[in-house]
Amino acid sequence: MKNIFNFPPFLNDQELFETIISNQNIKIERIISTGQTTPQDTWYDQEQDEWVILLQGEAILSYENGSQLNLKAGDYLLIQSHQKHRIDYTSNNPPCIWLAIHGNLN
């Protein structure tokens, strides 16, 4: 048994991607962010949909069209495939704990 809120104490200023379940149709992962952001002028353009919930912390997600979402614990959203987006802020105290589900979700 594992706990979604437990993470290694040696994490420091690193970002952790941990696959929980993965097969040909779906991938579920836990992401722990400690202040990381998407590099400037870079956009995620994913082949699959991504449903994500922020379980802890705060974050800012931006879309290529200029809109932004200020996320706090409990907020979730669906990012459709090829919807260009980036992360412009993640808190490090507390760290962001994300649960992401990737797949054909529409």
Side-chain angles (χ1 to χ4, degrees), residues 15-97:
E15 192 166 39
L16 174 70
F17 293 83
E18 178 183 47
T19 299
I20 297 171
I21 296 171
S22 181
N23 64 36
Q24 64 188 25
N25 298 316
I26 198 164
K27 177 181 177 182
I28 301 173
E29 68 181 341
R30 176 178 74 158
I31 305 165
I32 300 175
S33 305
T34 57
Q36 290 79 16
T37 60
T38 308
Q40 284 290 70
D41 299 322
T42 301
W43 297 96
Y44 293 114
D45 185 2
Q46 300 171 163
E47 294 293 321
Q48 295 183 312
D49 301 323
E50 178 181 8
W51 181 90
V52 65
I53 183 169
L54 184 61
L55 300 173
Q56 175 181 290
E58 296 180 354
I60 298 174
L61 183 142
S62 299
Y63 292 103
E64 187 180 39
N65 68 6
S67 63
Q68 284 189 329
L69 298 174
N70 294 311
L71 304 170
K72 61 185 184 314
D75 291 340
Y76 63 90
L77 65 139
L78 177 66
I79 304 168
Q80 295 183 350
S81 64
H82 299 293
Q83 187 174 23
K84 292 184 180 180
H85 63 285
R86 56 180 287 118
I87 302 298
D88 286 323
Y89 170 78
T90 61
S91 62
N92 62 1
N93 189 15
C96 289
I97 300 177

